[in-house]
Amino acid sequence: MNYFFYTIVTILIFQYVLETALNYLNAKHFNDPVPNELADVFDEVEYRKSQDYKQTNYKFGILSSTFSLFLTLAFLIFGGFEWVDQFARNISDQPIIVALIFFGVIMIGSSILTTPFSYYQTFVIEEKFGFNKSTPKLFIIDKIKGWLMLIILGGGILAIILWFFQWAGDNFWIYAWAVVAVFSIFMNLFYSRLIVPLFNKQTLLEEGDLKTKITSYAEKVGFELKNIFVIDGSKRSTKANAYFSGFGNEKRVTLYDTLINDLDDDEIVAVLAHEVGHYKRKHIIFNMIASLLLTGLTLFILSLFVNNPEVSYAIGVSQFSFHAALISFGILYSPISEITGLIMNYLSRKFEFQADDFAKNTFKSQPLITSLKKLSKNSLSNLTPHPAFVFLHYSHPPLVERIRNLNS
Ligand SMILES: [Zn+2]
């Protein structure tokens, strides 16, 4: 047992306690009076349903995070990682192959153990509140596709990083950073074209009133928008969404069919105006550069720790390896990533106000307000989150703050 081991256990327990306390604090405010601006979001029946939904998710969250803490601690303390490491080393003596088997067993193992939780979430909780549209068959196919993607993409990148480590030693992080950077830019550009079709059907938004309104808004603000797609989100859930992806010629807007069903034309244009605001105010490029810099920082710090055998031994393995060090480092680094995540969330909330302002100034605030209310109503969202919970977890400001800003 070494110093890093105790640090890892402390971090895991501390994070669990912090999260549980935050969730508890947030849950204590579920019954707070609803702000005046939001009085028309729910009627009496829907409000009670939303209270029930939040309580159900709160309790389920405690159950699943407690399970996951005990599982991780038991695996760590009773030599789970050593067992998997030896299993992988019996199959091959090539470090890259050993690492791939090691991560493969851990990922698949933890995925199998957590599947009952996600199954329950989808087919019991979401089903009970009328959100679920998925079927057990679709659920299983999604899982398998997700695993295959993880094996191909995750395994591929891991193999390349390990190869750099063998070849360039301590400097591996610079090459790894370059590969990860190219990969993430490539994914940002082609995600909609390559990955989304594996899970959903996308069609170009058909000609008609909505398309005309969107096009004339885009022309007015000087935003080139040729690619507007509709995605069949309704095959899994009634919850609605819209997002923006890519840049240059690859930039596109994707609207969930559920969004088109729930909102009227003006409200959809307002939602798009908000998205255009993110683009025009350069939030997209900022986020991308920030995440590339953070990746570089993480890889650099990893390079300082990876060669210290104690870092590997901290997870209970008897032989030093890059893959064991990577697991150990992943936990040791998590307090730092919590802090960078907190900063990114803070900036993201600022950006949301700026994008709302852009929609208000170039289009109208009223349809954005009503669309936000409808979306909150249809997802039974929490209208009275605790400020500490917002500070740590929210990438978007609470609804009431957005509406006050739009009304100001
Ligand atoms: Zn936004």
Side-chain angles (χ1 to χ4, degrees):
M1 294 301 159
N2 67 20
Y3 175 73
F4 287 118
F5 169 80
Y6 292 107
T7 312
I8 285 177
V9 172
T10 309
I11 289 173
L12 289 172
I13 293 173
F14 178 77
Q15 280 171 340
Y16 172 80
V17 172
L18 178 71
E19 278 313 304
T20 309
L22 262 183
N23 280 310
Y24 172 75
L25 208 57
N26 204 36
K28 267 185 62 171
H29 289 260
F30 284 165
N31 293 320
D32 281 5
V34 173
N36 279 337
E37 290 90 338
L38 307 183
D40 58 346
V41 172
F42 295 124
D43 64 29
E44 193 52 41
V45 176
E46 287 158 347
Y47 181 67
R48 246 177 281 128
K49 191 173 161 196
S50 84
Q51 295 293 76
D52 192 12
Y53 185 56
K54 286 178 289 189
Q55 278 296 342
T56 308
N57 276 323
Y58 168 58
K59 287 180 198 149
F60 182 69
I62 293 177
L63 189 77
S64 59
S65 66
T66 306
F67 174 78
S68 136
L69 175 73
F70 277 106
L71 188 71
T72 312
L73 287 178
F75 206 71
L76 196 59
I77 293 165
F78 299 114
F81 290 109
E82 168 71 353
W83 185 84
V84 179
D85 195 39
Q86 290 307 325
F87 171 79
R89 286 174 191 277
N90 281 333
I91 297 175
S92 171
D93 49 16
Q94 288 295 314
I96 295 179
I97 306 288
V98 172
L100 290 174
I101 297 170
F102 180 82
F103 278 109
V105 171
I106 287 171
M107 292 293 174
I108 301 288
S110 80
S111 186
I112 288 171
L113 287 168
T114 53
T115 293
F117 287 89
S118 57
Y119 189 91
Y120 185 87
Q121 175 95 50
T122 305
F123 294 103
V124 179
I125 300 179
E126 296 290 290
E127 182 75 39
K128 177 183 164 196
F129 291 92
F131 292 127
N132 178 45
K133 291 276 173 255
S134 186
T135 59
K137 186 181 162 200
L138 181 62
F139 179 87
I140 291 164
I141 294 173
D142 281 352
K143 281 271 169 204
I144 293 171
K145 284 182 190 166
W147 285 349
L148 288 176
M149 253 177 55
L150 188 70
I151 290 167
I152 296 167
L153 297 178
I157 288 186
L158 182 68
I160 294 171
I161 293 177
L162 273 152
W163 185 77
F164 284 142
F165 182 64
Q166 291 180 1
W167 168 72
D170 278 356
N171 288 330
F172 81 94
W173 72 274
I174 300 172
Y175 303 97
W177 187 16
V179 168
V180 174
V182 170
F183 177 75
S184 44
I185 292 170
F186 178 84
M187 271 313 204
N188 187 290
L189 280 173
F190 298 107
Y191 180 79
S192 298
R193 217 182 258 273
L194 299 175
I195 308 292
V196 176
L198 300 175
F199 295 92
N200 284 91
K201 208 177 279 156
Q202 303 175 103
T203 44
L204 270 169
L205 177 65
E206 53 192 54
E207 297 299 327
D209 275 0
L210 178 59
K211 174 114 188 230
T212 316
K213 282 178 187 161
I214 293 173
T215 317
S216 76
Y217 169 77
E219 274 167 16
K220 187 183 129 197
V221 292
F223 185 79
E224 192 169 355
L225 192 55
K226 297 176 300 202
N227 304 318
I228 310 167
F229 285 87
V230 181
I231 192 172
D232 60 343
S234 61
K235 95 182 204 199
R236 295 192 180 80
S237 169
T238 60
K239 289 179 179 168
N241 200 1
Y243 64 88
F244 203 94
S245 60
F247 48 85
N249 274 335
E250 284 298 325
K251 74 173 183 269
R252 62 162 88 189
V253 160
T254 307
L255 305 170
Y256 276 52
D257 54 354
T258 41
L259 188 89
I260 295 181
N261 271 334
D262 292 350
L263 304 184
D264 69 31
D265 287 1
D266 256 13
E267 289 168 337
I268 294 171
V269 176
V271 168
L272 282 179
H274 169 100
E275 296 299 328
V276 173
H278 279 310
Y279 198 90
K280 286 272 184 182
R281 302 294 304 262
K282 305 214 171 9
H283 299 154
I284 299 190
I285 200 85
F286 176 90
N287 284 337
M288 199 167 200
I289 292 171
S291 102
L292 290 181
L293 291 177
L294 283 174
T295 307
L297 178 73
T298 311
L299 286 166
F300 170 70
I301 300 177
L302 170 66
S303 77
L304 303 178
F305 282 87
V306 73
N307 279 314
N308 181 346
E310 296 296 315
V311 174
S312 291
Y313 302 154
I315 59 165
V317 295
S318 56
Q319 280 167 278
F320 158 79
S321 66
F322 186 89
H323 57 265
L326 203 54
I327 297 258
S328 189
F329 177 79
I331 303 169
L332 291 168
Y333 187 74
S334 59
I336 300 178
S337 60
E338 295 262 347
I339 292 168
T340 55
L342 204 133
I343 297 168
M344 291 305 283
N345 271 344
Y346 173 79
L347 290 174
S348 168
R349 291 193 302 269
K350 289 229 165 282
F351 292 168
E352 289 308 314
F353 284 130
Q354 293 177 3
D356 282 349
D357 288 343
F358 185 88
K360 177 166 85 175
N361 297 331
T362 60
F363 189 60
K364 289 178 260 187
S365 59
Q366 214 47 44
L368 188 55
I369 292 174
T370 54
S371 73
L372 290 172
K373 284 182 177 175
K374 276 189 192 171
L375 295 174
S376 291
K377 168 187 143 101
N378 292 354
S379 57
L380 297 176
S381 58
N382 184 5
L383 302 183
T384 53
H386 189 272
F389 196 88
V390 173
F391 180 71
L392 274 134
H393 289 309
Y394 272 39
S395 61
H396 287 56
L399 180 62
V400 66
E401 286 180 26
R402 291 182 73 177
I403 290 181
R404 280 177 192 155
N405 173 60
L406 283 165
N407 278 329
S408 70

